[in-house]
Amino acid sequence: MQDLADKIHYSILASGSGGNATYFETKQHRILIDAGLSGKQLEKRMEAIGRSLDQVEALFVTHEHSDHSHGVGVLARRYGMPVYANTGTWTAMENKVGKIKPEQRCLLEAGKFLDLGDMQVESFAVSHDAAAPQFYQIHHDDQSFVVLTDTGYVSDRVVQMIKNADGYLMECNHDPEMLRMGPYSWPLKQRILGDTGHLSNEEGAGALMDVIGARTKRVFLGHRSQHNNMRSLAHLTVASILENNDFGVDHDFKLADAEPDQPSPLLSL
Ligand SMILES: [Zn+2]
Ligand SMILES: [Zn+2]
């Protein structure tokens, strides 16, 4: 009989253009994806879910943008954890993260699979204006959870890799109309709307339609822009697109919102 505790447990500690971090735990392993907050904030949020950064064995970084890498140096120095990123991201974040011991600098290139024991971390490249951005799918037995934000679009290749996972954190960065009318400069607006920018609410919904499958139990909408989106707008837009396309929102899977300023509860798949 399957042990009920033998699952992937996770918490989205922060999601948004102000900072990102997600925690994953299995029986044997505890990891973080991204550390885009201060060390202090990360400590607080781990405490809020009843965990501590001392217990984290490894940090996986998606790309060098500050909202993903801000706390990388502090975590590496204070907790001595190994940090995984690909070669391009290491080079690009060199000046941002300060001194990290050579033995803590670990490589995980895009499209690779790292087997930690009862947890596997799979990386995949995305289209975003960073040096070599990649996101991650966490596996345990036949369960998996996908973190995918910071991408201008989702390619067929990525769809094939991440289809029918048990859980998703999917980017819904902006409402295109709010972005157009909002305070950003025209070049920045173009950057966000472009192929190497961020997914809009509608594009996030489109990607979800391509990947949600019979296994999918929970979907978080994340990396919401503080200026160009609202929680209710993102949620309603995605829910109505999915419902209009016959997806069983809140029946077949739960649709939830990831927050910038507070961690989700520690959940299980
Ligand atoms: Zn970001
Ligand atoms: Zn980014």
Side-chain angles (χ1 to χ4, degrees):
M1 227 173 79
Q2 208 199 348
D3 180 353
L4 284 179
D6 192 15
K7 291 179 168 215
I8 298 180
H9 308 279
Y10 64 97
S11 166
I12 297 155
L13 299 173
S15 184
S17 31
N20 296 274
T22 310
Y23 172 74
F24 289 96
E25 172 182 323
T26 54
K27 261 189 171 167
Q28 297 171 4
H29 296 289
R30 296 175 172 201
I31 65 158
L32 276 181
I33 293 185
D34 283 334
L37 301 170
S38 68
K40 216 176 207 119
Q41 263 302 321
L42 286 164
E43 278 164 19
K44 265 196 182 155
R45 293 184 190 210
M46 287 291 282
E47 214 168 90
I49 60 161
R51 295 292 185 269
S52 141
L53 285 172
D54 294 319
Q55 304 164 316
V56 174
E57 293 166 274
L59 166 61
F60 294 82
V61 182
T62 59
H63 62 301
E64 72 275 17
H65 290 163
S66 302
D67 59 320
H68 300 260
S69 68
H70 182 70
V72 169
V74 174
L75 257 55
R77 286 184 290 278
R78 194 172 296 166
Y79 297 96
M81 61 182 77
V83 180
Y84 287 86
N86 62 33
T87 309
T89 297
W90 270 119
T91 306
M93 67 179 178
E94 202 59 60
N95 295 329
K96 298 184 166 198
V97 296
K99 236 183 157 54
I100 296 180
K101 287 181 187 158
E103 62 268 29
Q104 283 174 261
R105 295 167 170 263
C106 304
L107 280 180
L108 184 61
E109 303 294 352
K112 298 291 183 198
F113 204 83
L114 180 71
D115 194 349
L116 297 169
D118 76 343
M119 182 192 284
Q120 294 80 35
V121 181
E122 189 177 17
S123 61
F124 56 92
V126 298
S127 174
H128 187 54
D129 54 359
Q134 65 185 14
F135 277 81
Y136 299 100
Q137 176 160 210
I138 308 303
H139 300 269
H140 167 68
D141 289 343
D142 57 350
Q143 294 190 315
S144 75
F145 192 105
V146 173
V147 177
L148 175 51
T149 64
D150 300 74
T151 190
Y153 68 98
V154 181
S155 67
D156 292 342
R157 181 184 50 82
V158 169
V159 167
Q160 290 313 316
M161 281 184 77
I162 66 170
K163 247 175 146 162
N164 199 20
D166 299 77
Y168 292 96
L169 169 58
M170 179 64 78
E171 171 160 63
C172 286
N173 177 256
H174 57 274
D175 172 70
E177 206 47 41
M178 280 184 76
L179 177 66
R180 279 192 196 95
M181 306 297 289
Y184 287 5
S185 67
W186 177 237
L188 182 54
K189 289 179 184 180
Q190 276 182 312
R191 199 210 109 195
I192 293 169
L193 289 166
D195 264 4
T196 57
H198 291 276
L199 295 181
S200 68
N201 297 335
E202 289 80 359
E203 289 165 335
L208 285 171
M209 288 200 287
D210 289 338
V211 297
I212 287 173
R215 286 197 64 99
T216 308
K217 299 178 189 72
R218 195 178 284 261
V219 174
F220 277 91
L221 308 181
H223 211 292
R224 213 162 55 225
S225 163
Q226 280 158 307
H227 298 288
N228 308 310
N229 211 349
M230 292 182 291
R231 181 197 299 117
S232 55
L233 180 60
H235 194 102
L236 282 174
T237 303
V238 173
S240 65
I241 291 174
L242 293 177
E243 277 160 6
N244 290 339
N245 286 279
D246 297 326
F247 285 83
V249 178
D250 294 332
H251 291 284
D252 297 334
F253 57 88
K254 170 101 181 102
L255 189 65
D257 309 295
E259 302 301 336
D261 49 359
Q262 60 184 46
S264 76
L266 187 60
L267 299 164
S268 310
L269 280 182

